[in-house]
Amino acid sequence: MDFNADEIAALDADAQRIGVFFRLEVDPVLRLWLGLGPCEPGVNTLDPVGATYLGAGKLLNVSDFDHLINGAAQRVEFALSGVSDDVQAQLTVAANTVRDRPVALGLGIMGPDWQLLGAVRWCWRGYGDYLSADRTSEGAEAVQTVTLSAGTLMTGRRRGRNAYFTDQDQQRRSPGDRFCERTGLYREEVRKVWPRF
Amino acid sequence: MVDAIAFPRTLLREQSSRWSLRGATIAGGQTGIGALPRISIDGGGTWQAQYDGIVLRTPDHVRRWRQYELIADAGVQPLVIPMCDARQAPQLARRAGIPHSDGEPFSDGAGYSQPLATIGVAAALRATTVTLHAEASDVVFAVGQFFSVDHLVQGRRLYGIRSIESQVGLNTVVTIRPPLRQALAGAEAVILDDLGCVMVLQAPDSMNLTLGLRRFASPSITAVEYFYSPA
């Protein structure tokens, strides 16, 4: 993820303008961004000829996400507007087909004039799992949201995979391999004794 | 696509009004040296209009308000909310209508009208720099001034002039906020005397009317900008 000089200068400032882009590869592709109004971020690795991303509250929230560490890749949930006609139309059609469809979350750095300084950087890629609808009441108004749960290739609903850097997991992966046999000694609580000569 | 319905100016005799660009920012808290790092993720902000203490004193006023409360459909129907900003708009001499080629006006004495200014150069979606072309020398653009443009899909939108970059002849290059809601091909009319923006009520009960002594009311209205899906 190489940033150009303009982007680095913008990120170096005290206040940054950042566009958050969401892409779900159903048919047709659902493209949303956290800003207001439609946005055409131009060519990037996932949109080779460019595309329009819909804004204005259609993408409500993006949760924090981590990359795979110690086999614990969390799920990422995207809250989408439950009443927006175009989002609703696409998700209704796509409800049965989101599973295993590619999901991407990207960042675009904007300058002081709200123009993108470079292409959208897709910093998280995963796969759709399921959609769930939620309806809450806020005063006199009911608020309906649709949540897309997504995970990475390493996220599963089955038992944990052998992804820890422990000797047990390493033996299951590669029987006889000794690469991780001493990792147990690197726990915080272990006191390292200075060797006696 | 639901066409926006113009909200009548006759109902907007308010005691106070506010048009503001709302944004979404994330702050990281104040640092030890007093800096306040902040990230903006709204893409340039969206208009919110608030009119308070609207004066309704006659049965006509009350009936008209009720009519538009019903038209607004609890915030489902987009409305073109007018911005009453004549005091800050350029003060222009009254234009005579343009007659037919034979020099005669229409039978009621009116002539053709033409915009006071147009978009001089095509501009892309989300552009923040546009060229305004004045159709007459007394049309002068100033910072802090508002103008509207009728977009093909997004309808009437409101823009504010943030700075004037250059002025050559009748062409003025200005920076605006918010970013353009739709690309402009050029030659679109720049509306200076009938400002407005396509909006919906912020809350379903934003236009509820409470009558005092069964006659008078001072309701408020709060609306937020509405976006159509691109065609």
Side-chain angles (χ1 to χ4, degrees):
Chain A
M1 194 188 293
D2 291 335
F3 290 109
N4 61 40
D6 290 340
E7 288 174 314
I8 291 171
L11 288 171
D12 218 17
D14 263 352
Q16 291 93 26
R17 296 167 173 82
I18 290 177
V20 180
F21 295 84
F22 168 84
R23 188 179 187 280
L24 171 62
E25 205 167 306
V26 287
D27 186 23
V29 179
L30 180 62
R31 296 181 176 91
L32 306 171
W33 79 299
L34 269 183
L36 296 151
C39 180
E40 292 172 351
V43 175
N44 56 67
T45 51
L46 293 182
D47 300 309
V49 292
T52 302
Y53 284 73
L54 303 177
K58 292 177 172 60
L59 177 61
L60 299 180
N61 199 13
V62 175
S63 61
D64 300 338
F65 61 87
D66 293 332
H67 286 278
L68 182 73
I69 297 171
N70 262 349
Q74 63 179 152
R75 256 165 212 293
V76 179
E77 295 198 330
F78 302 95
L80 311 172
S81 165
V83 293
S84 169
D85 45 0
D86 33 18
V87 174
Q88 188 78 343
Q90 276 191 276
L91 288 183
T92 305
V93 174
N96 298 325
T97 58
V98 294
R99 184 154 169 75
D100 294 334
R101 300 308 303 162
V103 179
L105 189 66
L107 294 176
I109 313 298
M110 296 181 170
D113 56 352
W114 285 109
Q115 306 300 307
L116 280 168
L117 299 172
V120 174
R121 271 38 177 241
W122 299 103
C123 51
W124 187 86
R125 297 188 196 207
Y127 291 87
D129 195 355
Y130 60 87
L131 286 172
S132 60
D134 187 29
R135 193 168 178 151
T136 55
S137 186
E138 285 186 9
E141 198 168 25
V143 177
Q144 185 165 317
T145 55
V146 177
T147 303
L148 168 69
S149 180
T152 63
L153 268 180
M154 302 296 173
T155 312
R157 283 188 255 168
R158 294 179 289 277
R159 68 184 175 81
R161 294 160 196 250
N162 303 325
Y164 286 94
F165 291 116
T166 60
D167 193 37
Q168 290 90 338
D169 276 10
Q170 186 68 8
Q171 293 308 317
R172 286 191 201 106
R173 275 191 299 262
S174 309
D177 184 71
R178 299 176 61 197
F179 185 77
C180 293
E181 73 174 4
R182 295 176 68 81
T183 51
L185 300 177
Y186 291 104
R187 291 167 55 198
E188 289 176 35
E189 300 86 356
V190 174
R191 183 189 296 265
K192 291 179 185 173
V193 181
W194 191 256
R196 292 179 187 170
F197 299 103
Chain B
M1 189 174 106
V2 184
D3 285 334
I5 296 174
F7 194 87
R9 284 176 182 276
T10 52
L11 280 181
L12 292 180
R13 302 184 306 154
E14 76 284 356
Q15 291 171 8
S16 63
S17 66
R18 185 184 71 187
W19 280 75
S20 51
L21 266 178
R22 293 192 315 166
T25 55
I26 300 172
Q30 195 160 3
T31 65
I33 57 168
L36 193 61
R38 183 172 284 136
I39 294 174
S40 181
I41 55 169
D42 56 70
T46 184
W47 287 112
Q48 182 193 49
Q50 184 173 344
Y51 288 89
D52 289 321
I54 296 170
V55 181
L56 303 182
R57 291 291 179 267
T58 69
D60 280 346
H61 284 154
V62 172
R63 281 195 296 266
R64 195 109 166 108
W65 184 272
R66 285 174 177 165
Q67 178 197 1
Y68 276 87
E69 187 181 352
L70 298 173
I71 286 175
D73 257 344
V76 176
Q77 169 67 43
L79 303 167
V80 177
I81 302 291
M83 180 193 218
C84 309
D85 197 46
R87 189 176 171 83
Q88 280 71 240
Q91 304 300 312
L92 302 171
R94 179 173 283 276
R95 260 56 174 173
I98 299 169
H100 294 287
S101 58
D102 60 0
E104 289 297 313
F106 285 100
S107 57
D108 62 355
Y112 294 97
S113 67
Q114 70 172 23
L116 297 167
T118 53
I119 298 292
V121 178
L125 168 73
R126 292 189 49 74
T128 49
T129 302
V130 294
T131 303
L132 305 177
H133 175 76
E135 296 292 339
S137 57
D138 63 338
V139 178
V140 179
F141 301 104
V143 291
Q145 184 183 324
F146 291 103
F147 67 89
S148 281
V149 176
D150 280 334
H151 291 288
L152 210 56
V153 174
Q154 297 296 341
R156 184 158 298 192
R157 298 290 152 171
L158 183 71
Y159 302 102
I161 298 177
R162 179 174 172 268
S163 66
I164 293 179
E165 299 297 301
S166 67
Q167 189 165 12
V168 179
L170 294 175
N171 284 337
T172 308
V173 179
V174 299
T175 62
I176 59 167
R177 290 289 188 277
L180 279 182
R181 301 310 195 194
Q182 191 179 349
L184 294 169
E188 290 90 346
V190 173
I191 301 162
L192 299 170
D193 53 354
D194 188 17
L195 304 177
C197 187
V198 176
M199 304 180 118
V200 290
L201 299 184
Q202 179 161 315
D205 55 358
S206 277
M207 280 190 73
N208 283 7
L209 187 66
T210 304
L211 282 178
L213 301 172
R214 298 178 185 167
R215 294 181 177 189
F216 312 118
S218 302
S220 302
I221 181 171
T222 306
V224 290
E225 191 169 359
Y226 176 81
F227 293 92
Y228 295 107
S229 296

